[in-house]
Amino acid sequence: MVKSLAISLIALIIMKNLNVSIIGLSVLTILSMGAASVATGGVELNGLYSTDFVMGLMITLTLFVAILSYLSSAKVSRKASFNLMVISISLILVMSFSVSSFFLFFFFFESVLAPLLLLIVGWGYQPERLQAGGYMVIYTVFGSLFFLWGVSELYLSGMSSSMSSVGSLVKKSAMSLWWLYILGFLIKLPMYPFHLWLPKAHVEAPVAGSMLLAGVVLKLGGYGLLRFMAVMQVSLSSVFFVLLLSVNLAGGFYAGLACVRQVDLKCLVAYSSVAHMSLVLLGVLSNTLLGVMGAIIIMVGHGLCSSGLFSYVNAIYKMSHSRLLVMNKGGLLLCPVLVLMCFLLSSSNMAAPPSLNLFGEILVFGVGGWMSGAFLFILGLMSFISACFSLYLYGSCSHGKGLMHSESLNLSSLCDAFVLLSHWVPLNFLFMFMP
């Protein structure tokens, strides 16, 4: 099944002379059928690959975002090399979500950096892309070494390298440094204060790189954390656990405040990712059924919403040739279709009904209130500030006196509207098919 999904993506890239809308719809149909068959139960194949509901969701999200990122990058230089990078990133991500061994997961977890770095350096917009790529590689590789050390320690202590291992068979001394073992996942999410590489990477990356990075690559951190914590035994009253969650929620609120004062559209969307992924970390670390379900729903919802917002930023960048908020005012007079999509995605970003983000946040808020009243108070502040920066994004780009020329509207193609709508529809109607 994994091979058939990957072949579907490759076929989309090859048949680029056909109508993109027809191809996109047909491939998405294939992906939905594949995900339904994959997610029927938990099965491990040959001890290397496994299939379950979460894996099916992540693979479907990967190929969905990859297809839409390709459609958003219709006009790029060195098209063949660009397509190779997108395919490589997609295949590595599919393999990352498919394997059942922690060591194989680490291998693919790190392998995705190579094509992503080439995509940023080769098709980035500014000379600072080399520095942004260096930040991303150094942060991620440094944190991942602790994960490799932790998995090796657990393996030597008697636990299998399989993600379905039983953690009770391991000595408690081997689990005492769990907070250090997950450092690589905290950086990939990213969690405050390990988020500094993310805005730099987003600002310098092309639209396909930003969509894949925000939509799927960040989910590697949440997915890996979900699998790793399933085999760990962590006390909810330990000092490191309480400190980690406190810094995480405070950092998420701070990231929301940083969004409100941003003047760059890409930086605003990038910092909003830091705020939303802090909810994922809270849900996963709660080690409760509702918390984990909420974290998974938020990961899928954020993958669709953030990818759509980056696609919208690229659409208006093609009109104004600037990412500054002050240079992109008056969109309601110039291109009402894009403004409508911006409103729909912004409302979903602030968890307005009936988006996946709303259902995920309800579950996480309930778990947070069960854990501590202080956590619930901080979550309420984060929800308020999320509404503030989402409305700030919509109001700044839609209202006011337009500085873009009206003839620039010809550059806004039907493909951009189709891509944005393709993000919004599953984001708001996928909850109807939740088990």
Side-chain angles (χ1 to χ4, degrees):
M1 182 58 63
V2 174
K3 292 181 180 178
S4 62
L5 294 178
I7 292 173
S8 300
L9 175 63
I10 298 174
L12 173 66
I13 306 298
I14 295 175
M15 297 186 296
K16 56 186 177 182
N17 294 326
L18 300 179
N19 186 286
V20 293
S21 300
I22 297 177
I23 296 177
L25 291 175
S26 62
V27 173
L28 295 182
T29 303
I30 295 174
L31 295 182
S32 60
M33 294 172 59
S37 61
V38 166
T40 53
V43 179
E44 190 165 345
L45 308 175
N46 299 326
L48 297 178
Y49 303 97
S50 63
T51 62
D52 58 16
F53 179 74
V54 180
M55 185 275 286
L57 270 181
M58 292 296 106
I59 290 181
T60 305
L61 178 65
T62 298
L63 299 182
F64 188 91
V65 173
I67 292 170
L68 296 181
S69 67
Y70 172 76
L71 296 180
S72 297
S73 308
K75 297 180 181 179
V76 294
S77 59
R78 305 185 301 279
K79 189 71 173 181
S81 301
F82 179 85
N83 293 342
L84 178 62
M85 293 299 105
V86 174
I87 292 175
S88 300
I89 294 174
S90 304
L91 291 180
I92 293 174
L93 288 171
V94 168
M95 297 303 296
S96 300
F97 293 125
S98 303
V99 296
S100 61
S101 170
F102 280 118
F103 290 110
L104 286 177
F105 178 77
F106 170 80
F107 174 76
F108 291 113
F109 185 85
E110 293 298 308
S111 299
V112 75
L113 288 177
L116 188 59
L117 178 62
L118 292 176
L119 192 65
I120 294 176
V121 174
W123 287 269
Y125 296 118
Q126 303 177 37
E128 289 82 3
R129 58 183 181 270
L130 293 174
Q131 182 185 20
Y135 266 72
M136 180 183 67
V137 172
I138 292 174
Y139 267 78
T140 306
V141 172
F142 174 76
S144 300
L145 293 178
F146 292 99
F147 168 63
L148 179 61
W149 173 41
V151 173
S152 302
E153 283 286 331
L154 295 177
Y155 181 76
L156 295 176
S157 299
M159 189 184 78
S160 171
S161 63
S162 174
M163 293 182 177
S164 58
S165 301
V166 180
S168 59
L169 301 177
V170 184
K171 298 178 181 178
K172 291 186 178 180
S173 58
M175 294 189 178
S176 59
L177 295 177
W178 63 270
W179 52 272
L180 189 60
Y181 299 159
I182 65 174
L183 182 60
F185 301 137
L186 301 182
I187 293 175
K188 183 73 81 173
L189 269 173
M191 167 194 164
Y192 181 89
F194 309 115
H195 67 287
L196 297 180
W197 64 273
L198 185 65
K200 292 180 178 293
H202 274 308
V203 167
E204 305 302 331
V207 59
S210 294
M211 292 174 66
L212 287 169
L213 182 59
V216 188
V217 175
L218 299 186
K219 308 306 173 289
L220 277 177
Y223 178 81
L225 189 64
L226 179 66
R227 297 298 190 188
F228 191 68
M229 296 304 294
V231 302
M232 300 295 289
Q233 294 180 344
V234 179
S235 174
L236 300 183
S237 59
S238 65
V239 176
F240 289 111
F241 182 83
V242 176
L243 181 61
L244 181 63
L245 287 185
S246 301
V247 174
N248 169 58
L249 294 179
F253 177 67
Y254 173 77
L257 292 177
C259 288
V260 180
R261 59 182 298 273
Q262 291 299 319
V263 296
D264 188 295
L265 286 170
K266 270 198 167 184
C267 283
L268 195 157
V269 180
Y271 274 101
S272 70
S273 296
V274 180
H276 284 105
M277 296 309 287
S278 62
L279 300 177
V280 174
L281 182 59
L282 174 62
V284 174
L285 291 183
S286 68
N287 202 24
T288 61
L289 178 60
L290 292 181
V292 172
M293 288 178 58
I296 295 172
I297 294 174
I298 292 178
M299 281 197 293
V300 176
H302 175 266
L304 294 170
C305 188
S306 61
S307 176
L309 288 174
F310 277 114
S311 179
Y312 168 74
V313 170
N314 176 70
I316 62 176
Y317 175 80
K318 291 188 293 186
M319 293 191 293
S320 65
H321 302 286
S322 175
R323 296 192 310 270
L324 297 178
L325 287 171
V326 70
M327 298 296 295
N328 290 284
K329 292 182 177 294
L332 192 60
L333 300 175
L334 298 177
C335 191
V337 176
L338 287 181
V339 171
L340 173 62
M341 297 312 305
C342 176
F343 171 75
L344 294 176
L345 291 173
S346 297
S347 61
S348 299
N349 196 42
M350 70 175 78
S355 66
L356 289 175
N357 291 331
L358 174 66
F359 291 94
E361 289 190 13
I362 289 176
L363 296 177
V364 172
F365 277 39
V367 172
W370 167 75
M371 296 175 67
S372 172
F375 287 172
L376 184 60
F377 176 73
I378 299 177
L379 288 171
L381 293 178
M382 291 175 59
S383 179
F384 172 76
I385 202 67
S386 174
C388 290
F389 65 70
S390 298
L391 291 175
Y392 173 62
L393 171 63
Y394 167 72
S396 299
C397 296
S398 304
H399 301 283
K401 184 178 180 181
L403 299 179
M404 295 179 287
H405 299 291
S406 58
E407 57 266 25
S408 299
L409 292 178
N410 297 327
L411 297 176
S412 179
S413 64
L414 183 62
C415 185
D416 291 326
F418 170 76
V419 169
L420 294 174
L421 185 63
S422 299
H423 282 96
W424 180 78
V425 169
L427 177 60
N428 286 268
F429 294 100
L430 196 61
F431 74 94
M432 299 171 58
F433 305 98
M434 289 191 303

